[in-house]
Amino acid sequence: MNGFTQVIHFLGGIALLFRDIVLELKTKPFYFKIFLKQIYEIGWKSLPIIFVTSACAGMVLTLQFGLTLEKFGGKIYSPKILSLSIFREFGPVFTSLILAGRVGAGMTAEIGAMKVTQQIDALLALGTSPIKRIVIPRYLGGLVAVPILCLFSCFVSIIFGALIGYFELNLDLFYFFYKVFETSKLHDFFSGYIKTYFFSSFIILTACYFGLKVSQGTYEVGNATTKSVVFSSVLIVLGDYLLTKCYWMMV
Amino acid sequence: MQSIVEVKNLYISFNEKKVLKGVSFSLEQGECLGLIGGSGEGKSTLLRSIIGLEHPSSGKILFEGENVTNLSEEEYISIRKKVSYVFQGGALFDSMTVYENLAFSLREHTDYSERKIREIVLYELKEFELEGCEDMYPVELSGGMQKRVGIARATISKPKVILYDEPTSGLDPYKKRNMQNTIMKLQKRGTTSMMVTHDMSTALRICDRIALLTGGKIKAIDTPKNFKESHNVLLNNFVKGIKQGENHESA
Ligand SMILES: Nc1ncnc2c1ncn2[C@@H]1O[C@H](COP(=O)(O)OP(=O)(O)OP(=O)(O)O)[C@@H](O)[C@H]1O
Ligand SMILES: [Mg+2]
């Protein structure tokens, strides 16, 4: 299969998977416990890495903006620029890319391994739908957890940006926060926040699709995991562009 | 006698490779049908196709007189509740304990109280000489134990039909005999079963009829007694071949 047909297969595959999710959501049972567990796995367990990366992103961005603008006597504008770039783009996209690696890869590997060891077949044989038991709890868990993680990431970035502003750029902390909240309008925040629902879908659908597609053996699990991260990352950045364009056309 | 499962002229292939080339047979109410044949002849494939884990390219499968070839996943569920499958490799859910593996189908398809489920599971564990294993995970079990958990999981819901893929391989002679007794006990309850096996002694002891699959077709199907006395060259060679193979293994 060449690259192009692979992409077409992939897009068709996740569309069908999404359709299955919608169809099977209508009928019982719903695995509430597994859903909660997935929120824990996707959300709570990602907090440390999101904390570290967001803090670093906030610090680096503030430093870059501040030091560049200082040359023109404009370092007081760095809170403004920081808040806009974090809320609109960095928070959602950066977090989702990290999660594509942390969550998407793990999910593909787990489902792929279940496929190889015939556990998915066993589910089917016992009369249980893998879509209901495996895919839906993960998908909905992602829809809950990823947006919250993105919010968390934005605030961590701003706080650490402010700290760097205070220590490195001699900007008053109060002034920094004041500027952040003065600049960011609700729609700046929403333009970023809404995207996270799409990104979360991209990550989980891609992860489940590649996991369920594994058929041959452990070698293929590794392969599928790589593909899952690559495809969901590309979907996120491409989707980001398209969603941003749509958003600006609508407002 | 009414046929529970009827397979008519079944063809299955993987990519280019034709595995089953016109298989026909019927599984009668209450009988135990053995399926023997060389490695890679498609025994597992045939068994899997009965519950819709493989999809035939042509031919028909009737379950209780109804055509169940290429149903939708949703429609297969009602059949899979009546037909249990024992996987060649166990296919236990490795994220669940032995207890949870056994309780799985009861929790999924019955509204028994947790207390009743516990009672049934503990009884079943005793039946399969697995007492004390309930809190262990599948990785902590030996191969033979996993096998027994797999069979216990498939039989706990008292299905009408049980499809066994190699139920006695990997067991010591004493456990093998116990397994044979368990299967015979289930037969007495009125279960219908079909069993893939490489083990002629098991087939001859517990099967009512034995079918030989070679070259993608059922070449002979007869009672154990006739099988032993048969002058069919193919059959004789096969039986002898298997016996030699077994001596080889135990040596
Ligand atoms: N998913 C698959 N993709 C490609 N080929 C397959 C697949 N599953 C089975 N086959 C092929 O089909 C043939 C039959 O396999 P099957 O597992 O049914 O054999 P078997 O009779 O059960 O063998 P054994 O006694 O060793 O278990 C094999 O040659 C195998 O290579
Ligand atoms: Mg087999």
Side-chain angles (χ1 to χ4, degrees), chain A residues 24 27 29 31 110 114 117-129 132-133, chain B residues 48 51 53 73-74 77 80 83 85 87 89 91-94 96 104-105 108-109 153:
Chain A
E24 298 218 10
T27 52
Y31 296 92
E110 185 192 2
M114 288 181 78
T117 53
Q118 292 194 310
Q119 291 178 54
I120 301 285
D121 282 344
L123 273 184
L124 287 169
L126 289 165
T128 295
S129 152
K132 277 206 176 73
R133 194 168 167 113
Chain B
R48 288 164 60 84
I51 53 165
L53 294 178
E73 285 298 328
E74 198 86 18
I77 288 180
R80 289 169 184 159
V83 185
Y85 192 102
F87 286 85
L92 302 179
F93 301 124
D94 53 19
M96 299 181 200
F104 188 89
S105 59
E108 289 280 299
H109 303 305
R153 182 180 68 181

